[in-house]
Amino acid sequence: MKKIVVIATGLLALLYLLNPGAGIFELIPDNIPYIGNLDEAGAVALLLACLRYFGFDLTSFFRRDSDPNIPKR
């Protein structure tokens, strides 16, 4: 049951990011200064969390390797 909820959440986040209605369905309008893109940021965070649940950790692309002798996870 938990996998179904995670898959559904990931699909909804992906659908919101793809936005086939060209901006018709927006939780927060993008033209509001400073907070206009928070809904897209939340959808990206949800999508990354869902992908991490299934073993695809895309956040590792943004880490710096400070010491090359430390093994990667």
Side-chain angles (χ1 to χ4, degrees):
M1 184 67 184
K2 186 175 181 180
K3 281 187 178 184
I4 295 172
V5 172
V6 172
I7 290 172
T9 303
L11 287 175
L12 284 174
L14 183 64
L15 182 66
Y16 188 79
L17 288 172
L18 291 176
N19 207 359
I24 294 172
F25 177 68
E26 286 279 331
L27 294 177
I28 302 172
D30 288 339
N31 58 358
I32 298 175
Y34 303 112
I35 62 167
N37 293 328
L38 287 178
D39 54 344
E40 284 88 358
V44 168
L46 276 175
L47 184 60
L48 287 174
C50 292
L51 288 173
R52 181 184 280 180
Y53 177 81
F54 287 108
F56 300 105
D57 187 14
L58 298 178
T59 60
S60 63
F61 289 119
F62 302 111
R63 292 188 192 130
R64 285 193 215 180
D65 293 332
S66 59
D67 188 3
N69 297 325
I70 298 175
K72 294 183 179 179
R73 292 181 195 182

